[in-house]
Each structure stands twice: as structure tokens, then as C-alpha cells.
Amino acid sequence: MAGSTDSEHAAFLSALRAILPDDGLLTQSEDLHPYECDGLSVLRELPLAVVLPRHRNEVQAVLKICQQYGVAVVPRGAGTGLSGGARPSAGAIVLSLARLKQIRALDTSNRTAQVQPGVRNLAISEAARPMGLYYAPDPSSQIACTIGGNVAENSGGVHCLKYGLTVHNVLALEVLDASGERLEIGSQAPDSPGYDLLALMMGSEGLLGIVTECTLRLLPVPENTLVLLAAFASVVAAADAVSAIIAAGIIPAGLEMMDQLAIEAAEDFVHAGYPRDAAAILLCELDGTEAELQERLRAVEKLLQRQGATSIRIAADAETRLLLWKGRKAAFPAVGRLAPDYYCMDGTIPRKRLAEVLEQIAIWSAEYGLRVANVFHAGDGNLHPLILYDANVEEQLHAAEALGQRILELCVAVGGSITGEHGVGVEKLDSMCVQFTPAELAQMHRIKAAFDPEGRLNPGKAVPSLHRCAELGAMHVHHGQLPFPGLERF
């Protein structure tokens, strides 16, 4: 409430108290601190207040009061995001959707689930599994992250290579705009008329509306599943194996890669049986009927051997499969044991450039004196370099940020993107200036204005101002040249 008087401030909070339960409005400093950041903890800000509505009508009432008083709204799910998308803004409220956590319906005939935004990702599959169904997108934080946050960031996971991101698994949304007006977007039919606003909402990071209900696509649990663990003597060989598998027309359910630093960290943490002497490993999951599985298994084994795999281990039983995936999904917290802090990057590149980009990251790691652990969705080129540093050493923090920025610029230079699933938030605003032209960014601002004319939903996130980009001098060209001028471009 920038520029507001004390009486206006008091009136605003009083209006919120009138429509929320006693524990639904937090205003004391000690109550606000848990909401001062999301998973990007280096950036913190206390909000004006935190509201915790229990259902859609209370969310609507909150939005109408915020419109009346001109207060900005920062939506928040579980706070597991890694780009600062749920970081509060000064003078804004945080709108927590954590209490909207009902699974309203599971429709086995249509294979759909209707859920509120505060439902945890993993809880959907847990509820649907007795019916032989599951929800495919499975980010590493699925035990905690919520479906509303997944929609905001268009989350993926280890199985997105075959089964798609959130955008491919959501059929319809109920959304409230900045004024509290209810919108129904998408449908359970194969197509709906008009513009594809459903896809527009995916990854919109809370800038366009507040999701209050999602209709999700459920899939049958695969008849059979197995996982191969292939070890390699070099990162380049492992990266080339990824391209070889996809080029052969084989689409695994999951195809993940970890380098030696990540392997050692995960093995110490989970004891999954990863080979410590490997420079890199691939985890390749195959699923389908027994006949399909055996045919693909033989093909993948031959490809891995041809690409120089030093060992191949096959996990056919559920317990071993889960243990191998547990190591991968626990890699982020495991790496956290190697240094006081780490900076988790998120960029995408064409698969054929994997080896080249990983080699460049290794060169920069030595140059900056910061170790980098690589653990990522290799099948779709979604990188997650983890830059290890000590935030108590100011020079290391700045070096980690600089190294991260160079990695994202490299992703763009080789034909990729600055984000695959973590979003832009506040972390990558400057990188947006590298990837997009002024005309493209201006169009994004027009879309924002069409949904939120006053700009009160999650202000200052995801799309940088043109003025910011001009000040950075980062609008595609640097002193008349593109970054990394020697690289081939698309």
C-alpha cells in the first residue's frame, strides 16, 4: 500500500479480518517471516500481510478488497519454487492457497481428477493409484509442491520426456482474475473454441490470474516398468548416449543424467548403489507391455554399449527401481551437504548440444573456482547445474550469480531457453532481456494488461520492463555483438 495513510492501512486489514477466519490473516512480524521467500532464499522481503483463505469464495472476497484498496497480491503455493516467483513485494499481501487442498473428484471413466490448487502433486497419484491411474508430471519436490504452483511454473519432472509437462496434463482451470471475476478456461473435450488460453495460463507465474481449481488428465499405471543405470567414463560419452537413444526413435519414460559430483553426493545420502568411479550415469526408465519392454530393453542396451557404457545395471523389481529414482530425486538436498549453499540453475538446450554445453560449464567452474554438480532431465535437454558456494563469503555469492548468468546466456546462444520448469520469477529477469527482443517483451506486457489492467497480480515478476533491459544493455546485443559469437546458431 505504497503512499497509503495509517487509517487506510487499518481499514484494509479490518476489511480482510471481516471475511477471513481468526487464523486466516497474519500481520505480526514473527508470523510473516516464514513467507519472506520461496525456495530462492537469498532474496527475501516481508509482505504487508499473509492471507490464508479456505475456499474460492474467500479468495474472491480477498481479491475484491485488494482491488478496492489498490493492494498488490502475490499468490503462493507450497513455497518450493526456485526462482523467487512467490517472493513477497513490499506493500503487497501474500495470498496463500495452501488451505484449498481438496481432491474434489476422481473420474475413472474419463480418467480425470478435479483438484484444488493446494493439493500436493504426489497426493493426486496416491489417491488415484487404487483405481490403476496416476498423474504423470513428477517434479523432484512432488512430495511437497502443490498443483497450483505446478501450473504457475509449468512444472515437469523425470517423466516429462514421454508424458509431457504440466501443460500437457491439465484439461481445464477455474481462475479468478485480479478483480475476483471467475473464469473457466479449457474443457474436458479434446478441443475448445477460441484462443488457447489454457496454454497461456501455464507457466504464467501468477501474473494473469489465481487458479482455484484444476481438471487434470490421469493415465493408466504402466503394465511393466524397468530402469537401466548406465555408467560412463566421461560426461561427453553419457551426453552422446542420450542423443543416440532419442535418434533411434526410442522415447523412454524418463532419461536422467548425473555427473560425478552429483553421484557421490546422492550415494552418500541415499545409498542407491550408484557407481562412485563413474564420470556420469544415465538413468533410463522404460515402460509398456512385457513384449514392448523386452524389445526396447535390447535396443537400449545395444545403444548404450555402442556409446561406451562401462557398465549397465537393470532394475526390474519395484524396490530397486524406487531406490535408483530416490537417489536422483534426492540429488538436490544431497548436494546441499557439499557446501553451505548452492545456486540451482534451470535452462534448456537442444539435446545435440549437451556435451558441448557441459564441457563449457566445466571450464567456467574452474575459472570461477566454484564446483558445479550437474543433475538434470537429459532426455529433453533441461539442465540443472548446481553451483556450490558459501553465501557468507560475498565474493562467492557474486561469482555464483555471474556464473549462473553466463550459463543461461549460453543456453540461449545454442538455441535453448533460460528456463525449463523453474520459471523466471525475479531471479531471471535480466536473462529475459537476453532471450527476447523489445517487441516480444512489449507483447508480453500487453497480455498481462489484458488480464490485469492495474498490474496488481505478482508485480515485478517474470517479465522485465523495457527500461530495465535498456539499462542493462542486454537486449540481445553487447557492444554490437551477440554473446558467444563463435557458436553456431539456429
Side-chain angles (χ1 to χ4, degrees):
M1 297 184 68
S4 63
T5 64
D6 288 345
S7 61
E8 289 173 329
H9 182 195
F12 170 68
L13 294 179
S14 178
L16 289 177
R17 286 192 185 95
I19 55 96
L20 292 167
D22 291 342
D23 62 350
L25 177 64
L26 307 179
T27 59
Q28 298 302 309
S29 177
E30 62 267 27
D31 295 326
L32 300 179
H33 274 289
Y35 297 87
E36 66 185 357
C37 66
D38 57 11
L40 187 66
S41 58
V42 72
L43 299 176
R44 300 167 183 262
E45 181 85 48
L46 284 182
L48 171 65
V50 174
V51 297
L52 298 111
R54 299 164 297 180
H55 45 73
R56 183 188 69 210
N57 291 345
E58 287 183 352
V59 178
Q60 281 184 303
V62 167
L63 291 172
K64 289 177 180 178
I65 291 170
C66 288
Q67 182 182 42
Q68 177 185 348
Y69 287 89
V71 176
V73 177
V74 177
R76 179 186 175 97
T80 57
L82 294 168
S83 62
R87 176 201 176 193
S89 302
I93 67 160
V94 167
L95 173 57
S96 171
L97 298 164
R99 292 183 177 178
L100 279 74
K101 55 182 180 181
Q102 291 183 0
I103 298 178
R104 291 194 173 276
L106 293 172
D107 183 341
T108 56
S109 298
N110 291 307
R111 294 178 179 168
T112 62
Q114 284 182 281
V115 305
Q116 291 183 318
V119 173
R120 292 180 302 110
N121 175 289
L122 185 59
I124 300 165
S125 291
E126 290 173 338
R129 190 162 293 274
M131 305 167 190
L133 302 171
Y134 77 111
Y135 179 63
D138 56 343
S140 295
S141 59
Q142 68 175 152
I143 193 172
C145 67
T146 59
I147 195 65
N150 291 176
V151 169
E153 305 293 357
N154 192 21
S155 301
V158 299
H159 291 101
C160 64
L161 172 61
K162 183 173 183 178
Y163 295 110
L165 301 163
T166 301
V167 67
H168 305 109
N169 291 277
V170 174
L171 298 171
L173 295 174
E174 177 187 86
V175 178
L176 302 180
D177 70 8
S179 68
E181 182 179 352
R182 179 171 171 265
L183 309 173
E184 292 184 358
I185 300 174
S187 73
Q188 294 192 39
D191 194 10
S192 54
Y195 294 116
D196 189 0
L197 299 180
L198 184 63
L200 184 62
M201 293 300 299
M202 300 297 157
S204 59
E205 302 193 36
L207 271 69
L208 306 182
I210 307 297
V211 174
T212 52
E213 189 167 288
C214 310
T215 302
L216 310 176
R217 175 181 285 111
L218 300 177
L219 299 177
V221 174
E223 183 178 324
N224 294 285
T225 305
L226 59 80
V227 175
L228 294 90
L229 187 158
F232 292 86
S234 74
V235 169
V236 172
D240 289 342
V242 171
S243 297
I245 291 171
I246 304 300
I250 300 169
I251 306 297
L255 187 54
E256 301 288 300
M257 182 170 166
M258 300 168 66
D259 69 7
Q260 189 167 35
L261 191 57
I263 292 166
E264 292 176 354
E267 184 60 20
D268 287 340
F269 192 49
V270 173
H271 309 296
Y274 292 165
R276 291 179 179 273
D277 58 344
I281 62 171
L282 290 182
L283 289 171
C284 178
E285 181 171 294
L286 303 173
D287 62 13
T289 65
E290 185 63 28
E292 290 172 332
L293 213 54
Q294 292 307 315
E295 181 182 351
R296 290 174 192 156
L297 173 60
R298 288 191 294 270
V300 170
E301 278 189 291
K302 288 180 181 178
L303 283 167
L304 293 173
Q305 290 166 352
R306 196 178 304 149
Q307 294 298 320
T310 57
S311 67
I312 300 174
R313 175 183 167 195
I314 300 170
D317 64 280
E319 184 178 354
T320 308
R321 288 200 313 270
L322 290 174
L323 185 59
L324 291 181
W325 279 126
K326 184 178 180 181
R328 162 60 185 91
K329 292 201 171 189
F332 283 17
V335 168
R337 299 166 51 158
L338 302 180
D341 303 278
Y342 69 77
Y343 187 16
C344 179
M345 305 307 300
D346 167 54
T348 57
I349 60 172
R351 280 184 296 267
K352 69 177 184 178
R353 311 298 285 269
L354 271 174
E356 172 188 357
V357 169
L358 291 172
E359 284 185 312
Q360 183 61 65
I361 291 174
I363 292 170
W364 285 338
S365 172
E367 178 184 326
Y368 282 84
L370 298 173
R371 291 185 296 168
V372 178
N374 288 286
V375 48
F376 56 93
H377 311 310
D380 57 359
N382 186 188
L383 302 179
H384 291 315
L386 306 176
I387 304 170
L388 279 60
Y389 71 101
D390 185 349
N392 295 311
V393 181
E394 188 173 349
E395 296 79 10
Q396 286 196 20
L397 172 59
H398 294 321
E401 291 175 333
L403 174 53
Q405 179 66 21
R406 290 186 77 177
I407 291 172
L408 293 180
E409 289 181 1
L410 178 59
C411 290
V412 174
V414 299
S417 169
I418 62 167
T419 181
E421 58 179 345
H422 293 176
V424 175
V426 293
E427 175 206 13
K428 299 175 185 172
L429 283 171
D430 293 348
S431 299
M432 287 285 284
C433 303
V434 174
Q435 180 155 1
F436 295 102
T437 66
E440 290 166 336
L441 291 171
Q443 189 62 32
M444 293 182 198
H445 284 291
R446 292 187 191 101
I447 293 171
K448 163 73 169 169
F451 281 83
D452 178 21
E454 297 175 4
R456 290 186 299 100
L457 292 180
N458 219 8
K461 311 286 178 58
V463 184
S465 68
L466 300 184
H467 178 70
R468 179 189 184 116
C469 292
E471 282 190 336
L472 287 169
M475 200 72 81
H476 280 279
V477 293
H478 301 258
H479 307 295
Q481 287 190 334
L482 286 164
F484 312 107
L487 287 172
E488 173 192 353
R489 280 173 163 79
F490 281 43

